[in-house]
Amino acid sequence: MVHLEQGRFDVSKNVRPRVRYDHDIDRNGSRPYRSESWELRHLRYFVAVAETEHFGRAAERLHISQSPLSRQIAQLEEEIGAKLFIAKGRGVKLSPAGRSFLEGARATLARATRAVEDALEAAQGRIGTVVVGFEGGMAYSGLLPRVVQMFRARHPRVEVRLVPLPSEEQVAALRDGKISLGYGYHPPVENPLVHFRVLFRDRLSVGMSKSHRLATRRTLRIADLKNERFLWIPRKRSPRLYDDVIAAFRAHGQTLEIAHEEADNEALVTLVASGEGLSFFTESAAPFIRVGAVLKRVRGLDVVILGRSVWRAADEEDPLVRSFLEITNSEHSAREVSDDRQ
């Protein structure tokens, strides 16, 4: 409901009556505090007067004249509904309400200053958070661990969160803002919202215990693996890779039967080393499984895994994402040069 305050007014002077709203008055008949019409400058003016205990000296500190300073303080007192200063000789001193308000005003100004500083540092890539989704097997290539270490050395105040995430789920996680970058296998389906780069190629081999009957063979064919018991990851973990392996066996007239599914890579290595069956590993994983198992290349199993990075196209100008990608590309280039020399 809207009320017009009682009183006469002269229409000829184009003066409009003050409009008062019911929500301006609380149950005790007083106007509650509202902050819509004062700004940070009011707090700076108030603190200056409080510290100098003099409007003139405060105006000099603020590089403004005394009249607008007095008006701003009066406006602030009106909004709060309490006197903040008491006259003291030629100066002023804080009232009880002013003493209470001073602590909060200083804290608010400090927070505002810090917010500006944080914004500038974030824009310059000095603070912030980078969330990296990664496929578990990315550690085998050694690329991602090196990139993370170099990034942390370059940006010591930036938090890096590493989130295990299947390759197939990384694009959706980017779209939903859950991760900043993704490192996994296989290029994503063409999507204008994301960009990717192939970082390495890793060939798939067969792992078996050192006591297996085929462990001493120099070369293997798919036909040699007939009737062998295979253990592997669930198809949902990497459907494209899973289907590529099944197709390779079928192309040679063999049916691959998975006797046991194991999602944990370390458990899978333990099972293979214990003689529970054979499994598939990338050749980059050889150093991790050689303690109790061996890797064998298989002719006809021409399955190559592409390691890649993926990120939102809109984030290419983000300073932290850009720095992470620059380090990744630098390490990738150095690795290619090293591989060419070997």
Side-chain angles (χ1 to χ4, degrees), residues 49-215:
V49 175
E51 291 177 349
T52 61
E53 295 187 334
H54 195 279
F55 276 85
R57 288 193 292 270
E60 290 178 2
R61 177 196 290 189
L62 296 167
H63 305 291
I64 62 174
S65 61
Q66 185 172 333
S67 295
L69 174 60
S70 299
R71 286 197 301 271
Q72 297 292 336
I73 295 299
Q75 184 183 51
L76 182 61
E77 290 177 326
E78 181 183 0
E79 287 298 319
I80 294 174
K83 284 289 184 182
L84 300 176
F85 296 101
I86 300 172
K88 178 186 177 183
R90 294 185 177 182
V92 293
K93 66 176 183 178
L94 288 169
S95 69
R99 287 195 297 272
S100 176
F101 189 64
L102 180 59
E103 181 179 354
R106 283 173 169 163
T108 299
L109 289 172
R111 286 195 299 270
T113 299
R114 184 59 191 168
V116 172
E117 292 172 350
D118 287 348
L120 290 174
E121 290 188 324
Q124 296 164 1
R126 291 187 293 191
I127 63 172
T129 302
V130 175
V131 184
V132 181
F134 68 98
E135 181 78 49
M138 291 298 290
Y140 298 147
S141 72
L143 177 63
L144 181 58
R146 288 196 303 275
V147 170
V148 171
Q149 291 171 6
M150 294 179 66
F151 182 86
R152 283 176 168 156
R154 182 183 295 183
H155 304 276
R157 296 176 59 199
V158 174
E159 179 185 5
V160 179
R161 296 180 193 165
L162 299 174
V163 181
L165 193 65
S167 301
E168 284 71 20
E169 298 178 17
Q170 291 178 9
V171 170
L174 283 169
R175 180 195 61 211
D176 297 339
K178 295 179 179 179
I179 62 174
S180 310
L181 305 104
Y183 287 76
Y185 301 115
H186 305 299
V189 176
E190 185 174 351
N191 186 330
L193 300 180
V194 299
H195 291 169
F196 73 92
R197 179 172 182 175
V198 174
L199 301 174
F200 59 85
R201 290 167 172 78
D202 212 349
R203 187 183 178 93
L204 203 66
S205 297
V206 171
M208 61 191 68
S209 70
K210 292 181 178 180
S211 61
H212 193 276
R213 66 179 181 86
L214 299 174

Side-chain angles (χ1 to χ4, degrees), residues 281-319:
F281 300 95
T282 57
E283 292 187 345
S284 63
F288 297 88
I289 71 171
R290 280 176 179 163
V291 175
V294 293
L295 276 184
K296 296 289 182 179
R297 276 197 177 186
V298 179
R299 283 186 294 179
L301 185 61
D302 301 319
V303 177
V304 175
I305 300 176
L306 302 179
R308 52 89 183 129
S309 57
V310 62
W311 61 95
R312 284 183 293 269
D315 286 348
E316 290 190 337
E317 296 306 315
D318 181 286

